Amino acid sequence: MRRTLTWALAALICLSGTFTMGVAAQPKIEDELVLITPVAKFVVDAALAEFVKYAKETWGVTLKASATNAGTPICYGKIVEWNGRPQADIFWGGESVLFESLIAQGLIQKHEVPQDLISQVPQHIGTPKPLPLRDAAGYWVGTALEPYGLIYHPKVLQRLGVSEIKAWDDLLNPKLKGWVAQCTPDRSSSSHASYEVILQMYGWEKGWQYIERLAANTGQFVARSRDVPSVVAKGEYGVGFAVPSYMAFEEVLNGYPLKFVAPPNCYVTPEPISVLAGCPHPVAAKAFIAFLLTERGQKVFMERGLFPITPKYRVSGAPGSTAERAVEFTGGVRSYFDQPVANVYDHQLAGDRTEQVNDYFRRNIMEQWDAIKKKY
């Protein structure tokens, strides 16, 4: 009996030691995290602030978190320029095809999100073309769903005698000449993705005809996609093309009467995120990505006009809350998993011709813009 108790005590001590070593083996995150991202500060700052609280609660770490905000092409170019010696830990936002390019160049590493979290994110969404929501090999994962749609200022349209915007072709109304704002596809991933939707929906030739006519109605090509809802909100223009929903929603929260439309087949981005290869704070970076997929992380997005990346959650809140205002703003949508999502965007095709589309736009739209406006 005494021998049995001795062995039991020894086993308990052994197990206790193993458990202690297991806890100790879990790496404590670094005390700093740096992002490079095209995602607006409206969302990024809120996500980082919540993660800073989480880091203190979970690891007792006082985390210094910061982000460099720039257009997607600029972020991508900077990461390529760093060439494996990045000055940031995380790349967040934009078209997933850019992340695939970075994988091919060996410039991002696996995120190592726990399986119980990553398995909640579906592999794809949309028909007839499935749009990837995460990389099967574990290099990037979506964080939130967000439509790239059309916005308009009701009072400006009323003054112009233009009906409410509902579909892509509504932007070609002759009464809107000079009243459309957009960003060029080489400076904005939302514009680039939306142009790909047009080209893949109508075909190459007819798609460029649409883009040319849209250019004829365009009053300004702004410097970055975030500027599109800003100039429309101020009434400088009546309609904005290829606007991420949360960017327009931020203007609504600022008191502007913008309306948002997700036209048929509009691109729905998963806002991909990845850890940069060779980054200075890899443990904190991986922990941040995992945090964004938790309920706490998803709530940050749902209160800012974005939608959950997993069917597990739906946007909801108390009457009059920010979450409920976001639902109203986006036409009653609470989850993009509640109904079929129409998608014509071919992920592979878009990735293969990124520069071709940008170059064609520069030569045939921007360099010919004055002639195009006279033509129509």
Side-chain angles (χ1 to χ4, degrees):
M1 181 68 176
R2 184 177 299 171
R3 181 177 296 179
T4 301
L5 289 172
T6 301
W7 277 108
L9 180 61
L12 181 61
I13 293 172
C14 182
L15 285 173
S16 175
T18 301
F19 176 75
T20 302
M21 288 189 294
V23 171
Q26 294 179 1
K28 190 174 184 178
I29 69 169
E30 301 92 351
D31 62 0
E32 188 171 0
L33 178 66
V34 182
L35 277 61
I36 183 167
T37 174
V39 177
K41 285 175 63 61
F42 173 63
V43 174
V44 174
D45 288 354
L48 287 179
E50 196 63 25
F51 183 63
V52 167
K53 295 177 185 176
Y54 180 77
K56 189 68 173 178
E57 296 166 6
T58 306
W59 298 284
V61 172
T62 301
L63 183 70
K64 177 184 177 182
S66 62
T68 296
N69 289 86
T72 305
I74 295 175
C75 292
Y76 174 84
K78 183 65 68 174
I79 293 168
V80 172
E81 180 184 320
W82 286 334
N83 193 29
R85 294 181 294 277
Q87 297 174 24
D89 303 300
I90 280 177
F91 177 36
W92 182 18
E95 288 180 271
S96 57
V97 293
L98 297 180
F99 288 75
E100 297 296 339
S101 176
L102 293 175
I103 292 173
Q105 297 173 70
L107 297 179
I108 57 179
Q109 60 178 293
K110 293 187 176 182
H111 51 65
E112 298 179 0
V113 171
Q115 187 60 33
D116 63 327
L117 288 175
I118 202 70
S119 63
Q120 295 177 22
V121 180
Q123 193 70 54
H124 302 91
I125 193 173
T127 57
K129 300 286 181 64
L131 188 71
L133 300 184
R134 57 183 170 92
D135 172 54
Y139 284 94
W140 66 264
V141 61
T143 54
L145 292 174
E146 169 198 349
Y148 292 162
L150 310 174
I151 62 167
Y152 62 93
H153 195 299
K155 292 183 180 179
V156 174
L157 293 195
Q158 184 178 20
R159 189 167 68 245
L160 296 172
V162 176
S163 301
E164 291 187 348
I165 303 299
K166 296 181 179 179
W168 300 107
D169 286 349
D170 292 343
L171 272 62
L172 306 184
N173 188 328
K175 293 181 179 180
L176 286 175
K177 187 166 186 178
W179 286 97
V180 176
Q182 61 168 311
C183 188
T184 60
D186 58 347
R187 298 181 67 88
S188 164
S189 63
S190 60
S191 291
H192 194 282
S194 298
Y195 277 129
E196 272 291 356
V197 167
I198 297 298
L199 293 171
Q200 295 182 33
M201 186 167 54
Y202 294 130
W204 184 263
E205 185 175 342
K206 290 184 177 180
W208 282 112
Q209 290 175 5
Y210 174 94
I211 293 170
E212 181 180 281
R213 290 183 61 194
L214 179 62
N217 277 3
T218 298
Q220 183 182 3
F221 286 98
V222 296
R224 56 189 186 131
S225 56
R226 179 62 187 88
D227 295 333
V228 177
S230 178
V231 295
V232 175
K234 294 173 183 176
E236 297 174 17
Y237 298 94
V239 181
F241 173 80
V243 179
S245 61
Y246 73 88
M247 290 184 180
F249 185 58
E250 182 179 2
E251 297 293 351
V252 171
L253 294 180
N254 289 333
Y256 293 102
L258 291 184
K259 297 291 185 180
F260 178 85
V261 175
N265 296 314
C266 73
Y267 184 78
V268 179
T269 178
E271 289 294 11
I273 194 169
S274 64
V275 181
L276 298 179
C279 69
H281 314 109
V283 182
K286 293 172 183 177
F288 177 67
I289 295 176
F291 168 76
L292 293 182
L293 299 182
T294 66
E295 182 176 8
R296 186 170 175 178
Q298 290 293 291
K299 281 185 176 180
V300 172
F301 300 128
M302 292 187 283
E303 292 176 352
R304 284 159 181 79
L306 294 96
F307 300 92
I309 193 69
T310 165
K312 184 176 181 179
Y313 306 115
R314 300 175 80 251
V315 183
S316 63
S321 65
T322 303
E324 287 301 316
R325 290 181 67 185
V327 171
E328 180 184 0
F329 176 66
T330 51
V333 179
R334 294 186 180 277
S335 170
Y336 265 80
F337 298 101
D338 285 349
Q339 56 192 11
V341 173
N343 178 63
V344 298
Y345 182 95
D346 187 305
H347 176 78
Q348 186 64 49
L349 176 60
D352 290 344
R353 66 183 189 187
T354 298
E355 286 308 315
Q356 181 185 4
V357 169
N358 288 344
D359 182 64
Y360 191 99
F361 187 91
R362 282 191 294 267
R363 290 186 292 105
N364 296 280
I365 302 299
M366 290 307 299
E367 293 178 11
Q368 306 298 323
W369 191 25
D370 289 338
I372 289 171
K373 287 186 284 188
K374 292 177 181 178
K375 179 179 177 181
Y376 296 94

